[in-house]
């Protein structure tokens, strides 16, 4: 079988073109994806959809509240171990629109995030009218402060507590505990401790959070440097907070906790400033996986997050400390005796767990995590869990405290959770998975076809050369035969064009 030289040339040319296209896709494809990621991560009003996503995150967030109902309040006053029963969750839909957005010439933007909570009965176990037995946070907090009073003032304090019907433990509805309740004792405390209380009329655990902002954040837009995107520049005009006792602990690290710079690596940590904790937190990489079909990194809290200075020396600036695993936030909560921890004292000193009955810490229910898409820095699935604990003790000379043991008593724990869902997830999946995968398949198909055609062309070329070696004659005939031979050697893929040209002549 004679191998036409034209076919060899055609296969070689076509294979080279396909291989070249494959190489172009191999180089240009990732650059196109990277460029689109950069544009969608930057905070820039000209980005349209991306900017609106940042301005008012359409992802539904929910706050699930769990209360620790005290089963034996009278026994606690006698010095017995508290017996707790978890109640809940009571779930609230959380909206976080941004306002007061102002762009600056140094590629930063200032804004306030407003938090709005709406009760969601269908997700809750119970309703806001449920009654819970909890410690009287105001009364017991005031009692600890009153312990330092002179004897006469202690007598007056005890009389006032009796006249206002204040007890160490009370029964309130979920709504009252969350959003505030009226009490004449509050007016008395304002007179007794002027300018020391952070509230005016009503007292509730979340009364100051609903329809209020989390402070004035100024963050980097990433327009000048994508690696700085979303990182905090200042909070309330400050480069660092002043709640703690070391420069390291007062630093504003990372982002505001909504988005992170793109192109993350497992060696990176996830840093963000939490106004609720009054400090920067740092999560560490745990594992790679897929969240809703999209590649993700899971970040979790290290065991050292709330460790005391003895266990973890860098945390010494957060002291005075108690047992490891709890953080004293009284300095940023108007000296209220509040400590935060992981729920059920997960990852905390066992002494805290042994002081009460009814806690069952485990990683599945009580460990916080963030699943983040490393290429874009966008969180896919978030669950931030924290617990509020009240410091209790028997205050000398203050009758309301009885003979209770010195301890940290869990009040509530909450889980702020949210995940990408619906059309946003579909669009994200198409952009971050389908399109890159399609480009990848195209480049591999082009490369494979191109290389295959070039290999076939090489094989046919070798066969063509061998055939020419076996020719014993053919070079002697000149004239018409030679011309006919040359014409036949023109690549077949050009024969049609050549025939048309000859017919015109």
């Amino acid at each position: 079988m004679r191998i036409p030289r034209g076919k060899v040339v055609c296969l070689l040319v076509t294979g080279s073109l396909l291989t070249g296209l494959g190489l172009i896709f191999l180089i240009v494809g990732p650059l196109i994806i990277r460029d689109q990621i950069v544009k969608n991560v930057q905070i820039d009003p000209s980005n349209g959809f991306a900017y609106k996503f940042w301005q008012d995150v359409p992802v539904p967030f929910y706050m699930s509240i769990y209360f620790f109902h005290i089963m034996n309040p009278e026994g606690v006053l006698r010095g017995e171990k508290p017996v707790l029963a978890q109640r809940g969750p009571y779930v609230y839909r959380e909206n976080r629109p941004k306002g007061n957005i102002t762009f600056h010439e140094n590629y930063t933007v200032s804004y306030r995030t407003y938090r709005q909570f709406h009760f969601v009965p269908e997700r809750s176990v119970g309703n806001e009218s449920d009654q819970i037995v909890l410690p009287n946070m105001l009364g017991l907090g005031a009692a600890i402060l009153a312990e330092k009073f002179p004897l006469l003032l202690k007598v007056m304090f005890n009389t006032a507590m009796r006249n206002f019907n204040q007890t160490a433990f009370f029964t309130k509805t979920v709504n009252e505990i969350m959003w505030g309740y009226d009490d004449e004792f509050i007016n008395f405390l304002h007179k007794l401790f002027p300018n020391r209380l952070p509230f005016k009329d009503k007292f509730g655990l979340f009364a100051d959070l609903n329809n209020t902002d989390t402070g004035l954040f100024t963050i980097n837009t990433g327009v000048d440097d994508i690696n700085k995107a979303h990182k905090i520049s200042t909070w309330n005009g400050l480069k660092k907070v002043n709640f703690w006792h070391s420069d390291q602990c007062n630093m504003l690290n990372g982002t505001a906790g909504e988005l992170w710079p793109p192109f993350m690596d497992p060696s990176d940590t996830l840093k963000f400033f939490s106004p609720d904790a009054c400090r920067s937190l740092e999560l560490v990489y745990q594992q790679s996986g897929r969240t809703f079909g999209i590649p993700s990194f899971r970040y979790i809290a290290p065991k050292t997050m709330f460790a005391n200075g003895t266990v973890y020396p860098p945390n010494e600036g957060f002291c005075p400390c108690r047992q490891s695993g709890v953080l004293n936030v009284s300095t940023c909560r108007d000296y209220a005796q509040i400590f935060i921890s992981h729920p059920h004292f997960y990852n905390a000193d066992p002494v805290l767990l042994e002081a009460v009955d009814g806690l069952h810490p485990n990683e599945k229910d009580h460990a916080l995590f963030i699943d983040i898409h490393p290429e874009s820095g966008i969180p896919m699935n978030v669950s931030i869990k924290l617990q509020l604990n009240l410091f209790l003790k028997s205050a000398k000379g203050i009758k309301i405290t009885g003979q209770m043991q010195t301890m940290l008593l869990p009040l509530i724990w909450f889980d702020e959770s949210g995940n990408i869902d619906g059309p946003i997830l579909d669009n994200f999946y198409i952009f971050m998975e389908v399109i890159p995968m399609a480009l990848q398949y195209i480049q591999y198909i082009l490369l494979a076809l191109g290389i295959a055609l070039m290999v076939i062309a090489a094989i046919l070329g070798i066969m063509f050369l061998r055939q020419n070696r076996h020719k014993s004659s053919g070079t002697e005939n000149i004239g018409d035969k030679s011309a006919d031979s040359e014409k036949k050697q023109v690549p077949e893929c050009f024969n049609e064009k050549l025939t048309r040209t000859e017919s015109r002549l």
Side-chain angles (χ1 to χ4, degrees):
M1 177 183 177
R2 190 171 182 278
I3 307 297
R5 187 176 69 177
K7 285 188 176 180
V8 176
V9 174
C10 279
L11 289 172
L12 187 60
V13 171
T14 305
S16 299
L17 288 173
L18 292 175
T19 303
L21 286 173
L23 291 174
I24 290 173
F25 271 93
L26 183 64
I27 297 171
V28 175
L31 294 179
I32 294 174
I33 297 298
R34 180 183 176 88
D35 181 66
Q36 290 301 311
I37 289 174
V38 168
K39 288 181 179 179
N40 287 317
V41 169
Q42 291 172 340
I43 305 174
D44 186 349
S46 65
N47 283 352
F49 174 79
Y51 176 72
K52 291 180 180 178
F53 182 94
W54 170 83
Q55 186 180 20
D56 188 1
V57 180
V59 175
F61 276 90
Y62 295 93
M63 178 177 283
S64 301
I65 309 292
Y66 298 83
F67 291 87
F68 290 107
H69 176 78
I70 301 174
M71 304 291 290
N72 60 334
E74 296 299 327
V76 175
L77 282 174
R78 294 192 298 268
E80 297 176 7
K81 180 187 295 189
V83 178
L84 308 178
Q86 181 173 288
R87 298 282 188 265
Y90 299 88
V91 183
Y92 295 83
R93 172 72 161 86
E94 185 176 353
N95 297 320
R96 299 180 180 181
K98 292 182 176 65
N100 295 51
I101 300 174
T102 305
F103 285 87
H104 308 290
E105 293 182 355
N106 62 345
Y107 302 105
T108 62
V109 58
S110 299
Y111 65 91
R112 293 181 182 273
T113 299
Y114 297 90
R115 304 171 73 174
Q116 303 164 345
F117 297 92
H118 306 279
F119 185 61
V120 185
E122 59 271 19
R123 285 178 171 258
S124 304
V125 179
N127 56 65
E128 289 188 303
S129 62
D130 292 349
Q131 293 189 329
I132 308 290
V133 177
L134 286 180
N136 182 350
M137 290 159 276
L138 284 181
L140 293 175
I144 292 177
L145 294 175
E147 186 180 26
K148 299 178 181 179
F149 287 178
L151 179 59
L152 180 60
L153 287 181
K154 286 184 178 180
V155 172
M156 295 175 60
F157 182 84
N158 286 328
T159 302
M161 297 293 279
R162 184 173 61 253
N163 291 338
F164 288 115
N165 298 317
Q166 294 298 305
T167 57
F169 300 92
F170 57 34
T171 301
K172 298 287 184 185
T173 65
V174 169
N175 184 275
E176 289 174 323
I177 298 169
M178 287 289 294
W179 311 118
Y181 57 89
D182 294 309
D183 198 321
E184 293 182 2
F185 182 61
I186 294 176
N187 296 327
F188 170 73
L189 289 178
H190 276 295
K191 295 178 181 179
L192 190 63
F193 305 107
N195 303 320
R196 293 289 297 274
L197 302 180
F199 54 89
K200 294 181 180 180
D201 301 320
K202 293 184 176 182
F203 171 76
L205 289 176
F206 287 75
D208 294 333
L209 293 183
N210 202 14
N211 296 314
T212 59
D213 64 87
T214 55
L216 181 65
F217 279 92
T218 300
I219 65 175
N220 291 278
T221 62
V223 173
D224 61 327
D225 182 357
I226 195 61
N227 294 316
K228 297 193 302 183
H230 303 287
K231 289 186 177 180
I232 294 178
S233 176
T234 63
W235 180 66
N236 288 335
L238 302 172
K239 288 288 186 181
K240 62 179 183 178
V241 297
N242 57 2
F243 301 127
W244 315 110
H245 307 294
S246 72
D247 290 338
Q248 179 180 350
C249 293
N250 280 321
M251 291 177 64
L252 297 175
N253 297 323
T255 73
E258 293 181 337
L259 299 166
W260 280 264
F263 315 120
M264 301 179 65
D265 186 84
S267 62
D268 296 327
T269 58
L270 214 60
K271 300 176 182 177
F272 62 98
F273 175 72
S274 169
D276 294 332
C278 307
R279 56 165 285 193
S280 296
L281 301 175
E282 184 174 7
L283 307 186
V284 296
Y285 171 85
Q286 183 189 43
Q287 63 186 18
S288 299
R290 299 184 76 84
T291 302
F292 311 125
I294 299 173
S296 63
F297 289 170
R298 169 157 290 195
Y299 285 86
I300 62 172
K303 292 184 178 181
T304 56
M305 177 175 283
F306 297 133
N308 61 22
T310 302
V311 174
Y312 186 62
N315 282 353
E316 186 65 36
F318 294 120
C319 293
C321 299
R322 295 189 62 80
Q323 294 88 349
S324 191
V326 295
L327 174 67
N328 185 350
V329 294
S330 61
T331 55
C332 69
R333 290 287 178 259
D334 299 284
Y335 298 95
Q337 297 300 305
I338 296 294
F339 290 70
I340 62 174
S341 68
H342 295 300
H344 287 237
F345 291 131
Y346 175 69
N347 275 345
D349 190 320
V351 172
L352 296 167
L353 184 63
E354 294 167 0
V356 296
D357 283 337
L359 301 184
H360 308 283
N362 64 84
E363 181 179 3
K364 178 179 178 294
D365 296 325
H366 306 131
L368 64 83
F369 67 86
I370 295 179
D371 291 335
I372 196 165
H373 182 251
E375 288 298 305
S376 64
I378 296 176
M380 305 293 296
N381 191 21
V382 177
S383 179
I384 301 297
K385 305 181 179 84
L386 292 174
Q387 179 172 296
L388 300 183
N389 310 281
L390 181 67
F391 176 67
L392 294 184
K393 62 175 291 189
S394 177
K396 186 177 181 181
I398 306 300
K399 294 182 179 180
I400 190 177
T401 59
Q403 298 176 332
M404 64 177 60
Q405 299 293 321
T406 300
M407 71 179 77
L408 289 180
L409 182 66
L411 297 174
I412 68 168
W413 71 271
F414 58 89
D415 177 11
E416 284 190 285
S417 60
N419 60 266
I420 291 182
D421 199 3
I424 297 175
L425 177 60
D426 295 337
N427 292 335
F428 195 81
Y429 181 79
I430 291 172
F431 179 74
M432 299 308 306
E433 275 293 290
V434 175
I435 294 178
M437 191 179 298
L439 289 174
Q440 194 174 49
Y441 283 150
I442 290 172
Q443 70 190 25
Y444 288 151
I445 291 171
L446 291 174
L447 285 171
L449 287 175
I451 292 172
L453 290 176
M454 292 174 69
V455 170
I456 293 172
I459 294 172
L460 292 177
I462 293 172
M463 294 174 64
F464 176 79
L465 291 175
R466 287 181 176 175
Q467 285 179 351
N468 286 344
R469 288 176 185 173
H470 291 295
K471 288 181 180 179
S472 57
S473 62
T475 58
E476 298 177 359
N477 297 327
I478 306 174
D480 293 340
K481 291 184 178 180
S482 178
D484 292 341
S485 176
E486 290 179 2
K487 184 177 178 179
K488 289 181 180 179
Q489 289 178 2
V490 175
E492 289 184 8
C493 54
F494 302 113
N495 278 352
E496 183 178 351
K497 183 176 180 182
L498 185 59
T499 303
R500 291 177 182 175
T501 304
E502 289 177 345
S503 64
R504 291 176 184 173
L505 295 174

